Amino acid sequence: MTDDAASRHTPVLLQRCLDLLEPALAGDGAVMVDSTLGMGGHTEGVLRAFPHVRVVGLDRDTQALELAGRRLAPFGDRFTPVHAIYDEIGAVLAGLGIAQVQGVLMDLGVSSLQLDEVDRGFSYAQDAPLDMRMDATTGLTAADVLNTYDERALARILREYGEERFAPRIARAIVRTRATTPLTRTGELVDLVRANIPAATRKTGGHPAKRTFQALRIEVNGELEVLERAVPASIETLAVGGRIVVEAYQSLEDRIVKRAFAAGATSSAPPDLPVEPETHAPYLRLVTRGAEEADEAELARNPRSQSVRLRAAERIRPTPDHMRGPQSGRRAA
């Protein structure tokens, strides 16, 4: 069904995203990249709100591309789906013959589709194979990580990516368990984590396996490394006056976005210079004050918005050569 994706997915902070993007998308011929297409909710909102805009939608998940493609078929050639990871934005646009875009939208983390499809193994609420790959056609699964990484590596992942206090204890239990029986199911992992977190701690902070599942998902998909490349690469695709809007759902993601935006919105001149050279002036303007959160109305409409942190920035001039990192793409004109 064409509306299958629409019935299964409510985009987070859609109206706020549209309001933030509107000044950049107002002109004829505007192009926006939805870097995390998912089931197409944000893209559908953009295509309806701005009838002259074209959207290029990226996703590494082939199932999401199929569902979103059916949902967005009525918009014809105003929508172009591409199977790609969002740090490949520069190469994707070059392949489409698009020099610059007026908007970039990134809705990070695991999608509604991935959470709701039990067999994908993203959810700790239902028993399923330990997969967790956003692109199910390639790469290590969560089971591969759990059954092959050494204890030190497992503890590091759980501590750094899941901010799990009991990472060493859980990692030790994983290695001990797999010595006799490999871990293959999410239910097995949930039971193991629960057994290795003190009962008093389990009473607060949500599901005891939440942090472990987050850490594994980030490791399996290389999410933080990809995001470190993707934010500056996305900024480099923006024309002057273009805007980038990013929705993050955990502190590690938000920190990366905040750092990249701050680098562009801060002078690179030494603080003791009496006059700032033009080449050191900021190339971004922060559109939001800090990270915006969902209000009560949004939370009532869409519970998955609970942890969202939204940031937006606008390109005000080309990036100076000395500020362009190795991941950056073409310079804005």
Side-chain angles (χ1 to χ4, degrees):
M1 294 175 58
T2 302
D3 64 351
D4 184 37
S7 67
R8 296 169 61 179
H9 173 237
T10 302
V12 172
L13 292 175
L14 174 59
Q15 189 55 53
R16 182 57 176 149
C17 291
L18 296 177
D19 292 343
L20 288 166
L21 289 164
E22 182 176 13
L25 300 181
D28 291 339
V31 178
M32 190 196 85
V33 177
D34 185 340
S35 294
T36 49
L37 180 65
M39 286 191 281
H42 284 99
T43 284
E44 182 178 42
V46 168
L47 291 169
R48 290 191 185 282
F50 309 111
H52 56 282
V53 169
R54 175 186 177 187
V55 176
V56 177
L58 313 184
D59 210 295
R60 64 170 78 181
D61 189 328
T62 55
Q63 188 178 4
L65 285 168
E66 180 183 352
L67 283 169
R70 293 204 299 268
R71 177 180 191 169
L72 301 170
F75 296 98
D77 60 7
R78 292 179 56 211
F79 169 65
T80 304
V82 180
H83 183 215
I85 307 174
Y86 47 75
D87 64 338
E88 300 170 332
I89 183 171
V92 168
L93 292 174
L96 294 173
I98 300 172
Q100 300 171 337
V101 299
Q102 285 64 48
V104 175
L105 176 64
M106 304 171 76
D107 184 19
L108 303 174
V110 64
S111 72
S112 299
L113 169 65
Q114 290 155 351
L115 284 172
D116 293 342
E117 292 287 324
V118 174
D119 287 347
R120 305 291 293 273
F122 286 96
S123 174
Y124 43 76
Q126 296 171 295
D127 186 50
L130 277 163
D131 193 319
M132 299 193 195
R133 291 173 298 170
M134 291 180 176
D135 182 348
T137 67
T138 186
L140 294 175
T141 66
D144 294 329
V145 171
L146 290 167
N147 293 307
T148 63
Y149 282 29
D150 64 29
E151 183 177 327
R152 179 179 295 182
L154 288 169
R156 178 189 62 80
I157 290 166
L158 297 178
R159 182 178 62 252
E160 293 183 7
Y161 298 164
E163 300 176 288
E164 173 56 70
R165 288 170 53 198
F166 302 99
R169 184 186 300 191
I170 295 170
R172 192 157 47 247
I174 290 169
V175 172
R176 185 170 59 246
T177 299
R178 78 189 191 194
T180 55
T181 308
L183 291 160
T184 61
R185 307 286 299 183
T186 59
E188 297 166 353
L189 181 60
V190 168
D191 291 342
L192 182 151
V193 172
R194 184 181 285 115
N196 285 277
I197 292 180
T201 304
R202 295 201 302 267
K203 294 177 181 178
T204 60
H207 196 287
K210 178 180 179 180
R211 293 177 296 276
T212 293
F213 272 63
Q214 172 181 298
L216 281 172
R217 190 200 81 219
I218 289 172
E219 173 66 16
V220 166
N221 297 288
E223 291 177 44
L224 299 184
E225 294 91 341
V226 170
L227 187 60
E228 289 273 14
R229 297 188 295 269
V231 180
S234 298
I235 290 168
E236 288 309 306
T237 68
L238 288 176
V240 172
R243 290 190 171 191
I244 177 170
V245 176
V246 184
E247 295 178 303
Y249 296 85
Q250 40 100 347
S251 60
L252 299 173
E253 294 173 339
D254 185 53
R255 198 174 303 148
I256 292 170
V257 177
K258 178 182 179 181
R259 188 166 58 239
F261 282 12
T266 305
S267 171
S268 59
D272 56 349
L273 284 184
V275 178
E276 179 187 58
E278 184 179 346
T279 55
H280 288 268
Y283 54 91
L284 293 180
R285 178 178 70 85
L286 302 183
V287 181
T288 53
R289 292 189 62 183
E292 296 184 356
E293 302 179 19
D295 59 19
E296 291 184 6
E298 178 74 16
L299 288 169
R301 182 168 52 248
N302 190 358
R304 284 178 176 166
S305 67
Q306 183 172 8
S307 58
V308 71
R309 300 293 182 268
L310 181 150
R311 297 180 187 270
E314 179 179 307
R315 177 181 283 286
I316 54 177
R317 73 186 192 94
T319 309
D321 287 340
H322 71 278
M323 293 291 290
R324 298 171 71 226
Q327 266 66 254
S328 298
R330 299 175 303 282
R331 188 179 355 176

